[in-house]
Amino acid sequence: MAAQAEYFIETQLPNHQKHYGSFTFPSILSPNPKSSPSSLSVFTEAIKSHKPFLDSSLLKSGALLFRGFPVKTAKDFNDVVEAFGFEELPYVGGAAPRTNVVGRVFTANESPPDQKIPFHHEMAQVPEFPSKLFFFCEVEPGSGGETPIVLSHIVYEKMKEKYPEFVDRLEAHGLLYTRVLGEDDDPSSPIGRGWKSTFLTSNKAVAEERAAKLGMKLEWLSNGVKTVMGPIPAIKYDKSRQRKIWFNSMVAAYTGWEDSRNDPVKAVTFGDGQPLPADIIYDCLKILEDECVPIPWKKGDVMLIDNLATLHSRRSFDPPRRVLASLCK
């Protein structure tokens, strides 16, 4: 850990961290005031030279928040993401409306500020999901707009303890996700990504081919397309940490996949098509809220999330707020 002291120091953020015995969630890193004056190039070089320390911190904590570093623009953020050396994951099959900003940087979910985005693992409803994701605060919120995060294995353990039969059924059958997509993006909806940008094509045959690679069935409608994904597992095993995780979009779909085309109650079912029990879903939402840590954004913050370890969400906010994202394989 001696190398850590050369550039990064661990700091505390009262009321915005949880302590779990041997680690703190999230781990918050700031520049060491004793190190050389901080510049973007110094930061990116430090990421490269401290990569083993950062990798081991992420493995232990599940999320890293970098605060106080000189990251000012989307291009700066792109340089930071590149410095980590993770391979980019193209955003194919996800539900959120997003816009490419620069390089491998996109807007985070562009749904309206008065809407909450429920807890989810990024792209848990498709077979190819990112292993890691970055967020960057370019413009901090007027008020609100926190990104709550929660450790997935804690949610699994609480649900298994409280609803063992329900969890056994989830493990046996998995989940089926159904979503109706319009032709073009609908920025008024948190799941408003149209089929053309979902599959990165305006050709229906190419869309079908790309959907098939994801294991997704398409049913063309007069005003869009109905997508059916699954059954896919709702519980996964995190091999790197040797524990089961609550890796699904069940609560997000059941409580949040709602717009003019979609009824959230029909958006997710057991893998055998049977409906999910509403009372258990809403109690799971309560567990997520009780166990989460809300991260208040400051301009220049960069957060690295291990997508297998951690679920995230978004609280409503008063503009302005601009948070950018990047997904990694």
Side-chain angles (χ1 to χ4, degrees), residues 72-106:
K72 296 183 172 65
T73 66
K75 187 183 180 310
D76 292 351
F77 174 47
N78 193 68
D79 290 348
V80 169
V81 173
E82 291 281 2
F84 276 87
F86 303 130
E87 194 177 345
E88 182 180 9
L89 179 83
Y91 189 57
V92 179
R98 297 177 190 263
T99 306
N100 183 229
V101 179
V102 62
R104 51 196 289 183
V105 172
F106 286 77

Side-chain angles (χ1 to χ4, degrees), residues 1-9 32 35 46 49-53:
M1 289 295 178
Q4 169 204 356
E6 293 169 18
Y7 189 75
F8 296 104
I9 56 167
N32 188 337
S35 65
S49 61
H50 293 70
K51 189 72 167 33
F53 162 70

Side-chain angles (χ1 to χ4, degrees), residues 158-173:
K158 299 264 181 193
M159 289 295 291
K160 180 74 172 172
E161 184 183 357
K162 198 165 183 183
Y163 301 108
E165 290 176 8
F166 172 74
V167 173
D168 287 347
R169 193 164 172 204
L170 274 185
E171 294 202 58
H173 295 286

Side-chain angles (χ1 to χ4, degrees), residues 288-306:
L288 287 159
E289 292 287 358
D290 288 348
E291 295 298 324
C292 81
V293 179
I295 304 300
W297 289 108
K298 295 285 181 197
K299 181 175 170 54
D301 282 353
V302 173
M303 184 152 59
L304 169 56
I305 289 176
D306 185 314

Side-chain angles (χ1 to χ4, degrees), residues 14-187:
N15 305 319
H16 299 287
Q17 286 177 297
K18 278 189 183 263
H19 302 282
Y20 292 99
S22 64
F23 69 95
T24 302
F25 175 75
S27 176
I28 300 175
L29 300 174
S30 296
N32 188 337
K34 294 177 183 171
S35 65
S36 58
S38 196
S39 68
L40 185 69
S41 60
V42 170
F43 182 29
T44 54
E45 284 306 312
I47 289 167
K48 293 172 188 173
S49 61
H50 293 70
K51 189 72 167 33
F53 162 70
L54 296 172
D55 285 345
S56 113
S57 297
L58 185 63
L59 182 67
K60 184 188 275 192
S61 178
L64 305 180
L65 177 64
F66 297 88
R67 176 162 285 180
F69 295 93
V71 188
K72 296 183 172 65
T73 66
K75 187 183 180 310
D76 292 351
F77 174 47
N78 193 68
D79 290 348
V80 169
V81 173
E82 291 281 2
F84 276 87
F86 303 130
E87 194 177 345
E88 182 180 9
L89 179 83
Y91 189 57
V92 179
R98 297 177 190 263
T99 306
N100 183 229
V101 179
V102 62
R104 51 196 289 183
V105 172
F106 286 77
T107 55
N109 191 321
E110 294 175 318
S111 63
D114 61 337
Q115 296 183 5
K116 285 182 180 179
I117 296 171
F119 283 100
H120 60 287
H121 284 279
E122 194 64 34
M123 296 168 69
Q125 74 280 8
V126 293
E128 192 177 359
F129 49 84
S131 69
K132 298 169 188 71
L133 56 147
F134 288 88
F135 290 118
F136 162 61
C137 179
E138 189 176 37
V139 179
E140 65 184 75
S143 67
E146 299 92 346
T147 293
I149 55 176
V150 63
L151 285 167
S152 192
H153 73 287
I154 300 286
V155 181
Y156 171 79
E157 287 166 7
K158 299 264 181 193
M159 289 295 291
K160 180 74 172 172
E161 184 183 357
K162 198 165 183 183
Y163 301 108
E165 290 176 8
F166 172 74
V167 173
D168 287 347
R169 193 164 172 204
L170 274 185
E171 294 202 58
H173 295 286
L175 290 167
L176 204 59
Y177 298 94
T178 303
R179 190 161 53 90
V180 177
L181 283 59
E183 188 168 313
D184 298 308
D185 287 2
D186 172 8

